[in-house]
Amino acid sequence: MNASGKTARPAAREYAESVDLVTPTLKLSLEWPMTLNVERSRLQREAYRWTSLSQNRERWNYSAATAAEVGASAHDLLCSLRVLEPGGSRALTDADIRALADATQIEVSVPYTNEAQAWEARTMPWEVLLTAATRGLRRHDVTITRQLRRTHAAHGNRAKTLLYVESAPGLVGDRFDFGGERRLVEARASAAGFEVYAVVNPTRADLQSALRKVRPAVVHLAGIDNHQATALGEPSADGRDTDGYVLRDATAGLERVDARALSVLFNDARCDPDLVVCNIWHSGARLAPLLVASGARAAVGFQDVLEDALAERFIDTMYASALSGDATLAACFTAAYRAVKGAGLSVRGSAIVLWCDSTQIESQHTHRVQTLEQQLSGEHRPVYTFAAGTRGTAPARASRAAAPAKGVKRSAGKATRGTSPAAPATTDDSVADARQLAVFVRPVPALSYALLHNDQDLFEEFRLVKYTPDTLRDVEVLVEWHVGMEQCRYSAAMEVSEASVPLTKRIRLPLTSALARSVDEAIRTTLMVHVTDGTRTVLRQTFSVPLIPVDTWEDSDANRKFLPSFVFPRDPAVWRIVDAAKRYAVAIRDDPNAGWEGYQAVREDDPQSLLAIDDQVQALWYAMMYEGDITYINPPATYTAFSQRVRSPSDIYGERRGTCIDLALLVAACLEYVEIHPVIVLLSGHAFPGYWRSERVREEFLARVRDHVAPDAAADGRSTAATADVAEPWMISSQHLALIQEAVRRSELIPLESVGITGRQSFAESMQEAGAYFDGDDFELLIDIRTAREANVTPLPLNRVRA
């Protein structure tokens, strides 16, 4: 370090390039190692860790406190980087972060000569990292784009043509229908004067031929990525997925095309489109920049996953302005992202990525942003717009810019809408075409009081799709739920101005049905949906949906998360147990004043104080054992797969029997009542409770889960799909079993075999037996009840119903 506080740069071969953060008033050139050393290895691990944080964002974005913790981690990562300056480097400072927070636009500029160079800088989810680091400082929204500093220029100009590529071979076509997406793209492109060509289910050769012959200015990729193909039941041959795009193979099956191979295909076609839009998951970190590296001037992709309705809204808004030439790509991208945020659905933590081959920022550090007309006059390389009549000569409507390739056809605009796994509920084509509105509806498989109580969606899909640029001003939506002789209603009148309007989060029904709150056996109910546009009926359809009993918990992927709603700390039986346990606490602690201090008894500087927590739980344990005289019983019949009738604490003590899940919930309810944080552990065919010995160890454990990266994380950047985790932050999956085992081994988490209550098992024996379960292969989930409460998963009013 020299006298000015700067550090001399390492050898030039290690830091030949920088990663730049550019705003209209600031340029920070970050020192980035180009050869593998300790620092680059650290940054590669951080890239994967932040990819995991981004894709499992439900673990931290459910509360301001956890979001603040992630923001602090983002701040620390940025401040660990160094800024290159003449003669040396300096640390990135809080002042630099405040300057980034003041900007309305930030561009991340990454060098590229080959894929191996600084791949961690390309795959880093900068949008999430920068917004998290500046969240507490920003007073406005920020647009973050990326520039790929490639070394070669594009091949030339094209006519105003758009190539729509739809790849849905085999089971993809059986599960999804992309016709509506095609119709949206066609409508926007045609309105801007573009010739639209389509190639459906192409092989590699078909796609390359289409690119060569059409030489499109815009390419739209519709379909699925390699990771989603695995999720659909088509795993890769070697068991490892890389980012890419699924095309058709020679036998009409699926061919996984790696992102690098697809970029080579584009490069060999020498079409150099102005814009490629990848409406496929996991396309923003690797596929999109490689397409820019292969000659595309800009590419849009998704960092991970994005709901179909939000993707449609983004694409519609982006094309509406970009194809008409009204603004620069960055401005179009900003408007489209704001349209997504305005849909009323949370996109916090998700990232839509725009990569360009030239800067999108006007500043003192770059030339003034140019229009396409100025680019054609040779003044500067531009920020690309799509102004009518300026990209070469557009073909007359009766002719084509190039003869279409085999398998390529000019779009006719007659495809039907739908991207859902189930067939959409729509009107016939004549009605849809007449008013240019379609409705896509798919109810949940079953309804329950737990679902309604926890403010969950009644529909897996419910969206309006508009195919006309005009605003529809008189749309009405009616949903009626008929339960026996009762009915609940949702109704709304609205204007539809966006291309896609998701309604799944808006449609809610009041919890007023007495039958829904008291049904003892599964019954059939109906959901009636009626959508009108003015005087025209767009959809009228009735769906039969079962209503499961109010005391039934479904152990399914969709409903397992509601188990904390069956923990009843205010049940009268819990009060009686706690009262009875008072004398056990006095005896165990040899203290006439012993009570229920919860974690107030813990002093962080005194490990022995943790025994006070164990003593309180032990008192409750023996009160449940000796005051209830409970016996074990098998679960009652439910007549439904993956579901179980659950007894409340009052039911258990009234009947003097319970199943393993009943007893686990009973112990959890007693612990929650005395403010000791419980957990429920689910094994294959078994359940038992546990508790945290202090608030601190619980918070530290959840932080470790949040930051945990699977040990088999990709080390070459070819896969940017982090290991999928369960969505809810209170559910800890087997992916984190090693962390749970460590917490048990360190006596931070104490498991209990609650069935031991029925067999007069000692407290110590129940701890030992339950601890051994974590060494087997049956572990499924650990459910943290406190986190569920923080996320507003609250107890059902089950006892009031039965009273």
Side-chain angles (χ1 to χ4, degrees):
M1 182 176 294
N2 57 32
S4 65
K6 297 179 180 177
T7 301
R9 291 187 64 185
R13 67 178 183 275
E14 291 191 10
Y15 291 90
E17 295 279 3
S18 63
V19 173
D20 299 338
L21 304 181
V22 185
T23 76
T25 60
L26 176 71
K27 181 178 181 180
L28 299 173
S29 294
L30 304 179
E31 196 172 58
W32 208 275
M34 297 296 143
T35 60
L36 187 60
N37 56 20
V38 173
E39 174 63 4
R40 189 176 179 200
S41 295
R42 179 183 76 89
L43 293 172
Q44 289 174 352
R45 290 192 300 271
E46 288 290 348
Y48 198 84
R49 184 173 78 90
W50 277 93
T51 296
S52 181
L53 279 170
S54 173
Q55 295 180 22
N56 294 305
R57 51 194 167 269
E58 292 85 358
R59 290 219 166 275
W60 55 268
N61 69 4
Y62 68 95
S63 75
T66 53
E69 291 176 9
V70 172
S73 179
H75 172 278
D76 292 344
L77 174 56
L78 289 179
C79 287
S80 73
L81 303 175
R82 299 194 66 80
V83 179
L84 293 174
E85 291 188 339
S89 65
R90 63 170 178 82
L92 190 145
T93 65
D94 286 344
D96 295 323
I97 293 179
R98 286 194 296 271
L100 292 172
D102 288 339
T104 57
Q105 185 178 359
I106 303 173
E107 183 174 78
V108 182
S109 179
V110 182
Y112 183 90
T113 56
N114 58 70
E115 187 178 6
Q117 179 194 34
W119 61 258
E120 65 280 357
R122 294 193 306 277
T123 61
M124 182 77 75
W126 291 100
E127 294 78 9
V128 176
L129 179 65
L130 291 171
T131 53
T134 59
R135 180 171 292 117
L137 302 171
R138 278 185 285 113
R139 298 183 296 275
H140 44 66
D141 290 336
V142 60
T143 298
I144 299 172
T145 59
R146 307 194 201 184
Q147 179 196 5
L148 192 77
R149 301 200 302 270
R150 66 186 187 190
T151 56
H152 64 279
H155 295 144
N157 300 315
R158 281 142 308 282
K160 292 180 63 178
T161 54
L162 182 148
L163 178 64
Y164 173 84
V165 183
E166 179 182 308
S167 183
L171 63 82
V172 182
D174 296 336
R175 295 285 299 275
F176 299 97
D177 179 2
F178 297 93
E181 180 177 343
R182 174 177 173 179
R183 188 168 179 175
L184 282 178
V185 174
E186 290 170 350
R188 287 304 185 187
S190 298
F194 275 68
E195 289 286 332
V196 181
Y197 295 86
V199 57
V200 178
N201 292 341
T203 63
R204 289 199 203 199
D206 294 336
L207 178 56
Q208 188 172 74
S209 178
L211 291 169
R212 283 175 175 166
K213 293 188 177 182
V214 177
R215 296 196 71 238
V218 179
V219 178
H220 182 97
L221 300 179
I224 69 170
D225 74 305
N226 297 340
H227 305 286
Q228 193 173 8
T230 296
L232 291 175
E234 287 284 337
S236 60
D238 61 2
R240 182 189 176 190
D241 288 323
T242 61
D243 294 0
Y245 184 44
V246 170
L247 292 175
R248 177 175 63 86
D249 65 15
T251 62
L254 277 63
E255 181 183 9
R256 300 160 181 270
V257 181
D258 179 74
R260 177 62 183 167
L262 190 66
S263 71
V264 170
L265 186 152
F266 269 70
N267 183 70
D268 292 345
R270 298 180 66 83
C271 67
D272 292 352
D274 291 311
L275 176 64
V276 181
V277 174
C278 306
N279 187 16
I280 53 178
W281 294 353
H282 304 110
S283 56
R286 184 166 175 248
L287 177 57
L290 288 179
L291 290 173
V292 173
S294 71
R297 292 174 171 175
V300 173
F302 304 142
Q303 182 77 28
D304 45 280
V305 303
L306 192 67
E307 185 177 321
D308 288 341
L310 297 182
E312 289 170 351
R313 177 170 287 204
F314 174 86
I315 289 167
D316 181 71
T317 308
M318 180 86 178
Y319 279 152
S321 53
L323 299 183
S324 64
D326 292 340
T328 66
L329 271 181
C332 299
F333 178 80
T334 300
Y337 191 75
R338 287 176 178 170
V340 168
K341 293 182 68 175
L345 300 178
S346 174
V347 293
R348 185 179 182 186
S350 63
I352 305 173
V353 185
L354 170 65
W355 285 93
C356 298
D357 72 340
S358 61
T359 184
Q360 295 292 298
I361 291 185
E362 291 184 4
S363 73
Q364 60 190 10
H365 309 291
T366 64
H367 61 266
R368 182 173 179 80
V369 171
Q370 302 295 309
T371 65
L372 180 60
E373 290 84 351
Q374 291 170 318
Q375 183 260 345
L376 291 174
S377 67
E379 290 181 292
H380 291 285
R381 293 198 68 198
V383 169
Y384 301 100
T385 60
F386 295 84
T390 59
R391 188 167 308 287
T393 302
R397 296 298 293 175
S399 63
R400 300 180 181 181
K406 181 181 179 180
V408 181
K409 55 187 177 182
R410 183 180 294 180
S411 293
K414 291 294 184 181
T416 58
R417 171 65 185 149
T419 57
S420 60
T426 63
T427 58
D428 58 48
D429 285 344
S430 61
V431 175
D433 287 345
R435 298 298 295 172
Q436 295 292 290
L437 180 68
V439 185
F440 296 86
V441 177
R442 187 172 68 255
V444 296
L447 290 169
S448 68
Y449 193 81
L451 181 144
L452 300 174
H453 173 79
N454 287 294
D455 195 34
Q456 299 298 298
D457 302 334
L458 282 76
F459 296 89
E460 293 180 348
E461 179 183 32
F462 196 124
R463 70 182 188 274
L464 311 179
V465 180
K466 177 176 69 71
Y467 299 119
T468 173
D470 300 329
T471 296
L472 303 180
R473 303 186 181 281
D474 193 17
V475 175
E476 294 188 2
V477 176
L478 173 65
V479 176
E480 289 182 346
W481 184 32
H482 296 265
V483 186
M485 299 299 293
E486 303 177 44
Q487 71 177 37
C488 306
R489 171 180 292 194
Y490 165 89
S491 64
M494 63 188 70
E495 292 186 352
V496 178
S497 58
E498 302 289 345
S500 182
V501 180
L503 297 178
T504 54
K505 300 297 182 186
R506 297 191 201 178
I507 297 174
R508 293 295 184 266
L509 297 176
L511 297 176
T512 56
S513 170
L515 181 58
R517 299 174 68 238
S518 59
V519 60
D520 288 327
E521 300 294 343
I523 63 173
R524 305 300 300 185
T525 68
T526 58
L527 278 170
M528 191 277 289
V529 177
H530 188 199
V531 180
T532 60
D533 176 17
T535 59
R536 185 183 300 272
T537 294
V538 181
L539 172 69
R540 185 180 181 90
Q541 187 165 347
T542 299
F543 302 88
S544 178
V545 183
L547 172 65
I548 65 176
V550 66
D551 61 353
T552 297
W553 169 66
E554 280 198 294
D555 189 14
S556 63
D557 290 341
N559 295 304
R560 187 176 295 120
K561 60 187 175 184
F562 298 133
L563 186 58
S565 286
F566 293 89
V567 176
F568 304 117
R570 301 296 175 184
D571 187 287
V574 172
W575 304 342
R576 292 194 293 271
I577 292 169
V578 172
D579 287 344
K582 179 70 162 57
R583 60 179 178 270
Y584 293 90
V586 169
I588 290 170
R589 302 173 70 177
D590 193 21
D591 180 0
N593 297 315
W596 310 111
E597 311 98 311
Y599 293 119
Q600 296 180 41
V602 176
R603 298 187 302 277
E604 298 298 342
D605 59 347
D606 181 12
Q608 288 296 110
S609 66
L610 297 174
L611 296 176
I613 302 300
D614 301 332
D615 291 343
Q616 294 176 68
V617 179
Q618 189 174 8
L620 292 169
W621 176 267
Y622 286 112
M624 285 182 276
M625 179 182 296
Y626 289 108
E627 304 296 325
D629 193 24
I630 305 168
T631 60
Y632 178 80
I633 189 173
N634 287 323
T638 60
Y639 313 109
T640 308
F642 309 114
S643 62
Q644 183 168 334
R645 302 295 284 268
V646 174
R647 293 177 176 84
S648 70
S650 290
D651 290 336
I652 294 171
Y653 272 78
E655 300 174 17
R656 295 195 177 277
R657 55 180 174 261
T659 65
C660 64
I661 190 70
D662 295 336
L663 296 167
L665 295 170
L666 170 65
V667 174
C670 293
L671 293 173
E672 187 177 17
Y673 185 80
V674 299
E675 298 184 353
I676 294 174
H677 301 324
V679 302
I680 302 277
V681 179
L682 300 181
L683 307 179
S684 178
H686 189 48
F688 60 91
Y691 63 94
W692 297 103
R693 295 186 84 197
S694 78
E695 293 180 302
R696 177 184 60 81
V697 297
R698 171 182 166 272
E699 292 168 359
E700 290 176 349
F701 170 82
L702 294 176
R704 289 195 296 272
V705 168
R706 194 167 56 242
D707 291 338
H708 182 233
V709 175
D712 60 346
D716 58 6
R718 296 179 63 209
S719 174
T720 59
T723 304
D725 204 355
V726 291
E728 286 69 27
W730 59 91
M731 298 170 66
I732 316 299
S733 70
S734 58
Q735 179 179 328
H736 308 289
L737 179 58
L739 297 178
I740 298 171
Q741 291 170 329
E742 180 185 9
V744 173
R745 186 175 62 253
R746 295 164 59 176
S747 296
E748 297 173 345
L749 173 65
I750 305 299
L752 299 171
E753 174 47 276
S754 49
V755 174
I757 293 173
T758 66
R760 302 294 174 92
Q761 189 176 49
S762 74
F763 186 68
E765 289 172 339
S766 73
M767 291 168 52
Q768 183 177 4
E769 182 175 347
Y773 290 141
F774 294 104
D775 297 328
D777 299 327
D778 295 331
F779 177 84
E780 292 184 355
L781 280 175
L782 181 147
I783 298 177
D784 186 77
I785 304 301
R786 176 64 178 174
T787 304
R789 300 297 190 236
E790 291 171 349
N792 295 318
V793 180
T794 57
L796 297 176
L798 193 55
N799 292 295
R800 289 195 296 273
V801 169
R802 292 184 171 177

mmCIF file of all heavy atoms in Angstrom, residues 551 568 571-573 576 630 645-658 662 666 798-799 802:
data_model
loop_
_atom_site.group_PDB
_atom_site.id
_atom_site.type_symbol
_atom_site.label_atom_id
_atom_site.label_comp_id
_atom_site.label_asym_id
_atom_site.label_seq_id
_atom_site.Cartn_x
_atom_site.Cartn_y
_atom_site.Cartn_z
ATOM 1 N N ASP A 551 -60.912 -30.547 9.962
ATOM 2 C CA ASP A 551 -59.839 -31.051 10.815
ATOM 3 C C ASP A 551 -58.880 -31.971 10.067
ATOM 4 O O ASP A 551 -58.141 -32.736 10.678
ATOM 5 C CB ASP A 551 -60.420 -31.788 12.026
ATOM 6 C CG ASP A 551 -61.254 -32.994 11.640
ATOM 7 O OD1 ASP A 551 -61.504 -33.192 10.421
ATOM 8 O OD2 ASP A 551 -61.661 -33.752 12.539
ATOM 9 N N PHE A 568 -52.481 -25.596 18.282
ATOM 10 C CA PHE A 568 -53.485 -24.774 18.951
ATOM 11 C C PHE A 568 -53.044 -24.395 20.363
ATOM 12 O O PHE A 568 -53.470 -25.023 21.347
ATOM 13 C CB PHE A 568 -54.819 -25.523 19.021
ATOM 14 C CG PHE A 568 -55.342 -25.974 17.691
ATOM 15 C CD1 PHE A 568 -55.508 -27.327 17.417
ATOM 16 C CD2 PHE A 568 -55.656 -25.053 16.711
ATOM 17 C CE1 PHE A 568 -55.991 -27.761 16.194
ATOM 18 C CE2 PHE A 568 -56.155 -25.470 15.481
ATOM 19 C CZ PHE A 568 -56.315 -26.826 15.216
ATOM 20 N N ASP A 571 -55.939 -23.717 22.989
ATOM 21 C CA ASP A 571 -56.921 -24.751 23.291
ATOM 22 C C ASP A 571 -57.069 -24.887 24.819
ATOM 23 O O ASP A 571 -56.074 -24.870 25.546
ATOM 24 C CB ASP A 571 -56.454 -26.079 22.686
ATOM 25 C CG ASP A 571 -57.494 -27.176 22.813
ATOM 26 O OD1 ASP A 571 -57.692 -27.673 23.941
ATOM 27 O OD2 ASP A 571 -58.080 -27.540 21.783
ATOM 28 N N PRO A 572 -58.291 -25.022 25.341
ATOM 29 C CA PRO A 572 -58.469 -25.143 26.804
ATOM 30 C C PRO A 572 -57.672 -26.281 27.424
ATOM 31 O O PRO A 572 -57.225 -26.174 28.576
ATOM 32 C CB PRO A 572 -59.978 -25.383 26.941
ATOM 33 C CG PRO A 572 -60.573 -24.744 25.728
ATOM 34 C CD PRO A 572 -59.583 -24.949 24.629
ATOM 35 N N ALA A 573 -57.464 -27.379 26.685
ATOM 36 C CA ALA A 573 -56.685 -28.487 27.242
ATOM 37 C C ALA A 573 -55.239 -28.075 27.473
ATOM 38 O O ALA A 573 -54.596 -28.545 28.418
ATOM 39 C CB ALA A 573 -56.754 -29.688 26.304
ATOM 40 N N ARG A 576 -54.996 -26.310 30.725
ATOM 41 C CA ARG A 576 -55.035 -27.224 31.866
ATOM 42 C C ARG A 576 -53.699 -27.943 32.046
ATOM 43 O O ARG A 576 -53.249 -28.182 33.180
ATOM 44 C CB ARG A 576 -56.177 -28.234 31.676
ATOM 45 C CG ARG A 576 -57.577 -27.609 31.761
ATOM 46 C CD ARG A 576 -58.653 -28.672 31.901
ATOM 47 N NE ARG A 576 -58.772 -29.492 30.713
ATOM 48 C CZ ARG A 576 -59.570 -29.208 29.688
ATOM 49 N NH1 ARG A 576 -60.307 -28.095 29.701
ATOM 50 N NH2 ARG A 576 -59.644 -30.012 28.649
ATOM 51 N N ILE A 630 -52.857 -40.886 28.224
ATOM 52 C CA ILE A 630 -53.147 -40.990 26.788
ATOM 53 C C ILE A 630 -52.582 -42.298 26.246
ATOM 54 O O ILE A 630 -51.489 -42.733 26.617
ATOM 55 C CB ILE A 630 -52.522 -39.803 26.033
ATOM 56 C CG1 ILE A 630 -53.006 -38.478 26.627
ATOM 57 C CG2 ILE A 630 -52.858 -39.869 24.547
ATOM 58 C CD1 ILE A 630 -52.232 -37.280 26.136
ATOM 59 N N ARG A 645 -56.788 -37.012 9.501
ATOM 60 C CA ARG A 645 -57.618 -36.287 10.450
ATOM 61 C C ARG A 645 -56.755 -35.962 11.668
ATOM 62 O O ARG A 645 -56.003 -36.803 12.169
ATOM 63 C CB ARG A 645 -58.827 -37.126 10.861
ATOM 64 C CG ARG A 645 -59.703 -37.561 9.707
ATOM 65 C CD ARG A 645 -60.388 -36.407 9.004
ATOM 66 N NE ARG A 645 -61.495 -35.890 9.744
ATOM 67 C CZ ARG A 645 -62.758 -36.314 9.579
ATOM 68 N NH1 ARG A 645 -63.032 -37.279 8.706
ATOM 69 N NH2 ARG A 645 -63.739 -35.780 10.271
ATOM 70 N N VAL A 646 -56.867 -34.737 12.133
ATOM 71 C CA VAL A 646 -56.025 -34.257 13.225
ATOM 72 C C VAL A 646 -56.893 -33.952 14.443
ATOM 73 O O VAL A 646 -57.913 -33.267 14.329
ATOM 74 C CB VAL A 646 -55.246 -32.992 12.792
ATOM 75 C CG1 VAL A 646 -54.489 -32.411 13.965
ATOM 76 C CG2 VAL A 646 -54.293 -33.335 11.652
ATOM 77 N N ARG A 647 -56.485 -34.468 15.594
ATOM 78 C CA ARG A 647 -57.186 -34.179 16.844
ATOM 79 C C ARG A 647 -56.612 -32.915 17.475
ATOM 80 O O ARG A 647 -55.401 -32.725 17.518
ATOM 81 C CB ARG A 647 -57.063 -35.347 17.813
ATOM 82 C CG ARG A 647 -57.770 -36.615 17.389
ATOM 83 C CD ARG A 647 -57.530 -37.731 18.391
ATOM 84 N NE ARG A 647 -58.273 -38.938 18.059
ATOM 85 C CZ ARG A 647 -57.851 -39.859 17.190
ATOM 86 N NH1 ARG A 647 -56.671 -39.702 16.596
ATOM 87 N NH2 ARG A 647 -58.582 -40.929 16.945
ATOM 88 N N SER A 648 -57.488 -32.100 18.019
ATOM 89 C CA SER A 648 -57.052 -30.957 18.806
ATOM 90 C C SER A 648 -56.621 -31.442 20.192
ATOM 91 O O SER A 648 -56.937 -32.578 20.591
ATOM 92 C CB SER A 648 -58.190 -29.949 18.936
ATOM 93 O OG SER A 648 -59.208 -30.475 19.775
ATOM 94 N N PRO A 649 -55.934 -30.622 20.985
ATOM 95 C CA PRO A 649 -55.596 -31.032 22.350
ATOM 96 C C PRO A 649 -56.822 -31.434 23.168
ATOM 97 O O PRO A 649 -56.776 -32.407 23.938
ATOM 98 C CB PRO A 649 -54.905 -29.791 22.925
ATOM 99 C CG PRO A 649 -54.266 -29.149 21.732
ATOM 100 C CD PRO A 649 -55.253 -29.360 20.620
ATOM 101 N N SER A 650 -57.923 -30.715 23.010
ATOM 102 C CA SER A 650 -59.134 -31.090 23.750
ATOM 103 C C SER A 650 -59.659 -32.447 23.305
ATOM 104 O O SER A 650 -60.151 -33.242 24.121
ATOM 105 C CB SER A 650 -60.218 -30.024 23.565
ATOM 106 O OG SER A 650 -59.865 -28.827 24.238
ATOM 107 N N ASP A 651 -59.575 -32.734 21.995
ATOM 108 C CA ASP A 651 -59.988 -34.041 21.501
ATOM 109 C C ASP A 651 -59.111 -35.141 22.100
ATOM 110 O O ASP A 651 -59.596 -36.213 22.491
ATOM 111 C CB ASP A 651 -59.888 -34.100 19.977
ATOM 112 C CG ASP A 651 -60.928 -33.239 19.289
ATOM 113 O OD1 ASP A 651 -61.965 -32.967 19.903
ATOM 114 O OD2 ASP A 651 -60.684 -32.825 18.134
ATOM 115 N N ILE A 652 -57.807 -34.900 22.135
ATOM 116 C CA ILE A 652 -56.877 -35.906 22.657
ATOM 117 C C ILE A 652 -57.209 -36.231 24.113
ATOM 118 O O ILE A 652 -57.288 -37.408 24.501
ATOM 119 C CB ILE A 652 -55.424 -35.406 22.528
ATOM 120 C CG1 ILE A 652 -55.028 -35.289 21.053
ATOM 121 C CG2 ILE A 652 -54.465 -36.341 23.259
ATOM 122 C CD1 ILE A 652 -53.687 -34.610 20.833
ATOM 123 N N TYR A 653 -57.427 -35.195 24.912
ATOM 124 C CA TYR A 653 -57.698 -35.433 26.335
ATOM 125 C C TYR A 653 -59.125 -35.913 26.565
ATOM 126 O O TYR A 653 -59.396 -36.634 27.533
ATOM 127 C CB TYR A 653 -57.391 -34.173 27.139
ATOM 128 C CG TYR A 653 -55.936 -34.146 27.553
ATOM 129 C CD1 TYR A 653 -54.954 -33.783 26.641
ATOM 130 C CD2 TYR A 653 -55.547 -34.542 28.824
ATOM 131 C CE1 TYR A 653 -53.621 -33.794 26.979
ATOM 132 C CE2 TYR A 653 -54.209 -34.553 29.179
ATOM 133 C CZ TYR A 653 -53.247 -34.184 28.258
ATOM 134 O OH TYR A 653 -51.928 -34.228 28.598
ATOM 135 N N GLY A 654 -60.039 -35.516 25.675
ATOM 136 C CA GLY A 654 -61.396 -36.029 25.811
ATOM 137 C C GLY A 654 -61.473 -37.501 25.460
ATOM 138 O O GLY A 654 -62.160 -38.284 26.135
ATOM 139 N N GLU A 655 -60.778 -37.916 24.401
ATOM 140 C CA GLU A 655 -60.799 -39.306 23.962
ATOM 141 C C GLU A 655 -59.709 -40.139 24.637
ATOM 142 O O GLU A 655 -59.737 -41.367 24.567
ATOM 143 C CB GLU A 655 -60.615 -39.369 22.440
ATOM 144 C CG GLU A 655 -61.674 -38.639 21.643
ATOM 145 C CD GLU A 655 -61.352 -38.618 20.152
ATOM 146 O OE1 GLU A 655 -60.494 -39.428 19.719
ATOM 147 O OE2 GLU A 655 -61.950 -37.800 19.423
ATOM 148 N N ARG A 656 -58.698 -39.447 25.221
ATOM 149 C CA ARG A 656 -57.540 -40.083 25.851
ATOM 150 C C ARG A 656 -56.774 -40.982 24.874
ATOM 151 O O ARG A 656 -56.319 -42.072 25.199
ATOM 152 C CB ARG A 656 -57.952 -40.873 27.099
ATOM 153 C CG ARG A 656 -58.508 -39.981 28.203
ATOM 154 C CD ARG A 656 -58.581 -40.683 29.531
ATOM 155 N NE ARG A 656 -59.065 -39.762 30.571
ATOM 156 C CZ ARG A 656 -58.299 -38.877 31.236
ATOM 157 N NH1 ARG A 656 -57.010 -38.807 30.952
ATOM 158 N NH2 ARG A 656 -58.817 -38.086 32.158
ATOM 159 N N ARG A 657 -56.611 -40.477 23.657
ATOM 160 C CA ARG A 657 -55.818 -41.194 22.664
ATOM 161 C C ARG A 657 -55.377 -40.212 21.574
ATOM 162 O O ARG A 657 -55.990 -39.154 21.383
ATOM 163 C CB ARG A 657 -56.597 -42.353 22.058
ATOM 164 C CG ARG A 657 -57.941 -41.979 21.453
ATOM 165 C CD ARG A 657 -58.627 -43.211 20.871
ATOM 166 N NE ARG A 657 -59.971 -42.907 20.401
ATOM 167 C CZ ARG A 657 -61.072 -43.158 21.076
ATOM 168 N NH1 ARG A 657 -60.999 -43.737 22.274
ATOM 169 N NH2 ARG A 657 -62.260 -42.870 20.577
ATOM 170 N N GLY A 658 -54.311 -40.613 20.858
ATOM 171 C CA GLY A 658 -53.808 -39.758 19.802
ATOM 172 C C GLY A 658 -52.807 -40.490 18.929
ATOM 173 O O GLY A 658 -52.179 -41.467 19.350
ATOM 174 N N ASP A 662 -50.886 -36.206 16.156
ATOM 175 C CA ASP A 662 -51.671 -35.560 17.208
ATOM 176 C C ASP A 662 -50.776 -35.184 18.386
ATOM 177 O O ASP A 662 -50.841 -34.059 18.905
ATOM 178 C CB ASP A 662 -52.777 -36.495 17.712
ATOM 179 C CG ASP A 662 -53.816 -36.809 16.655
ATOM 180 O OD1 ASP A 662 -53.966 -36.011 15.722
ATOM 181 O OD2 ASP A 662 -54.460 -37.868 16.769
ATOM 182 N N LEU A 666 -49.679 -31.594 19.921
ATOM 183 C CA LEU A 666 -49.996 -31.286 21.311
ATOM 184 C C LEU A 666 -48.766 -30.718 22.029
ATOM 185 O O LEU A 666 -48.857 -29.677 22.707
ATOM 186 C CB LEU A 666 -50.481 -32.550 22.031
ATOM 187 C CG LEU A 666 -50.640 -32.452 23.556
ATOM 188 C CD1 LEU A 666 -51.735 -31.467 23.915
ATOM 189 C CD2 LEU A 666 -50.918 -33.834 24.153
ATOM 190 N N LEU A 798 -60.477 -23.925 15.244
ATOM 191 C CA LEU A 798 -61.113 -25.243 15.231
ATOM 192 C C LEU A 798 -61.952 -25.501 16.472
ATOM 193 O O LEU A 798 -63.055 -26.027 16.402
ATOM 194 C CB LEU A 798 -60.032 -26.322 15.108
ATOM 195 C CG LEU A 798 -60.498 -27.746 14.777
ATOM 196 C CD1 LEU A 798 -61.318 -27.750 13.507
ATOM 197 C CD2 LEU A 798 -59.313 -28.670 14.642
ATOM 198 N N ASN A 799 -61.463 -25.089 17.622
ATOM 199 C CA ASN A 799 -62.212 -25.354 18.852
ATOM 200 C C ASN A 799 -63.483 -24.530 18.927
ATOM 201 O O ASN A 799 -64.502 -24.982 19.419
ATOM 202 C CB ASN A 799 -61.320 -25.075 20.060
ATOM 203 C CG ASN A 799 -60.186 -26.091 20.156
ATOM 204 O OD1 ASN A 799 -60.438 -27.257 20.361
ATOM 205 N ND2 ASN A 799 -58.967 -25.642 19.928
ATOM 206 N N ARG A 802 -66.059 -26.321 16.890
ATOM 207 C CA ARG A 802 -66.658 -27.484 17.527
ATOM 208 C C ARG A 802 -67.507 -27.115 18.722
ATOM 209 O O ARG A 802 -68.469 -27.796 19.046
ATOM 210 C CB ARG A 802 -65.561 -28.463 17.920
ATOM 211 C CG ARG A 802 -64.898 -29.064 16.685
ATOM 212 C CD ARG A 802 -63.873 -30.098 17.020
ATOM 213 N NE ARG A 802 -63.449 -30.763 15.803
ATOM 214 C CZ ARG A 802 -62.510 -31.679 15.759
ATOM 215 N NH1 ARG A 802 -61.885 -32.035 16.865
ATOM 216 N NH2 ARG A 802 -62.163 -32.234 14.619
#
